[in-house]
Amino acid sequence: GIKNYTQASKRTRLKEFSQINTNEALRLKNRDNLKSQSDYIQSNIHLNNQTQNKEDAAFAFQQMAQINLERKDKSAAINNLENALELVMDEPEETSKIKEEMVKVYVADEQYEKAITINQSLVKEAQKTANPVKEVNQLQNLSQTYFQANEAEKAISSLKDAYSVAVKNNQTLEARNILQKLTQFYQDKKKSKEAMEAYADFITRLDTLIKAD
């Protein structure tokens, strides 16, 4: 009896997997039809939930969020990204990617505080896992959100933090790229003294960075 049940279960999973692939192919054929795409994605969410395929279900929720954005429905997009997030909480990389997508939607909807809160959590996660490359990247993302929220001082502070982490961890190219962003801001604000100080600091540390690289 158990053997028959196992075989039936396997046949069911294969059938559902086949339907998911068919739905995906049909979705791609209907790229210009948001309603059809939405129906196929919704079917795949249901099928993946039935087979307890969390990763593919999360991907389908992300696809649905993209459809929501094309329909200018940012609230629905956030809901679908939150659904995706719940399914991949034990996968740090996927979690980060989804949170970054949520930040973009919140910024587009001018919900800057929510976007900043997520950015800050991503910085803390990078610090907790002692991942300086990711920390530098997330600090720059946080800076960008602050700029979009017209909070220039906090944006520059985050950029300076990113620069410090990059220099401390011998990320020469990234440190130079951040320096360019800082000096561009200072030049735009007619703050030539600050721009020169930023360059002087980089040159002072350059020999150490080159030796480390």
Side-chain angles (χ1 to χ4, degrees):
I2 293 173
K3 185 179 179 182
N4 289 338
Y5 176 81
T6 303
Q7 288 174 340
S9 177
K10 190 180 291 185
R11 282 196 299 273
T12 300
R13 285 199 300 273
L14 286 171
K15 181 182 176 183
E16 286 165 343
F17 181 71
S18 175
Q19 186 59 55
I20 288 167
N21 286 338
T22 299
N23 286 345
E24 187 62 11
L26 290 169
R27 183 188 70 81
L28 291 171
K29 283 183 180 179
N30 287 271
R31 285 177 181 168
D32 297 329
N33 188 327
L34 293 180
K35 174 67 169 64
S36 292
Q37 284 197 68
S38 178
D39 290 342
Y40 292 126
I41 294 168
Q42 197 62 55
S43 174
N44 279 354
I45 289 171
H46 175 70
L47 291 166
N48 282 310
N49 283 336
Q50 279 191 325
T51 56
Q52 297 184 330
N53 189 333
K54 289 185 178 182
E55 190 173 320
D56 285 355
F59 179 68
F61 275 121
Q62 288 172 269
Q63 287 181 316
M64 187 63 81
Q66 288 303 312
I67 298 295
N68 298 144
L69 290 175
E70 289 187 53
R71 288 174 163 171
K72 313 295 184 188
D73 190 346
K74 298 182 185 73
S75 178
I78 287 293
N79 285 337
N80 278 307
L81 288 172
E82 286 175 344
N83 288 334
L85 190 61
E86 284 183 23
L87 295 170
V88 296
M89 290 304 287
D90 56 345
E91 298 178 41
E93 284 300 318
E94 286 304 310
T95 298
S96 293
K97 288 176 186 176
I98 293 170
K99 285 183 176 180
E100 286 170 7
E101 288 302 313
M102 291 174 73
V103 167
K104 291 176 186 175
V105 179
Y106 279 132
V107 167
D109 202 32
E110 298 183 355
Q111 295 190 55
Y112 297 116
E113 286 304 314
K114 289 182 178 179
I116 288 165
T117 298
I118 295 174
N119 277 139
Q120 289 171 332
S121 75
L122 288 167
V123 171
K124 287 177 182 176
E125 285 169 21
Q127 292 169 338
K128 189 188 293 185
T129 56
N131 188 332
V133 173
K134 184 176 284 187
E135 184 180 355
V136 168
N137 183 51
Q138 295 299 347
L139 279 165
Q140 290 185 83
N141 289 345
L142 175 58
S143 172
Q144 185 179 351
T145 304
Y146 276 132
F147 273 126
Q148 289 167 312
N150 292 317
E151 295 189 47
E153 285 187 21
K154 290 180 180 179
I156 289 301
S157 177
S158 293
L159 266 187
K160 287 180 177 178
D161 288 343
Y163 174 73
S164 295
V165 175
V167 169
K168 184 179 178 182
N169 291 277
N170 307 314
Q171 298 176 49
T172 313
L173 185 61
E174 205 58 52
R176 189 189 70 183
N177 291 340
I178 296 166
L179 177 70
Q180 289 174 341
K181 293 178 184 177
L182 282 168
T183 52
Q184 185 62 56
F185 173 80
Y186 290 137
Q187 286 168 0
D188 291 345
K189 296 295 181 181
K190 304 289 191 281
K191 295 184 176 182
S192 55
K193 180 186 174 185
E194 286 87 344
M196 291 300 293
E197 285 175 352
Y199 263 118
D201 180 75
F202 183 72
I203 296 300
T204 302
R205 304 190 199 207
L206 193 57
D207 280 343
T208 308
L209 285 166
I210 290 171
K211 286 173 185 174
D213 275 358

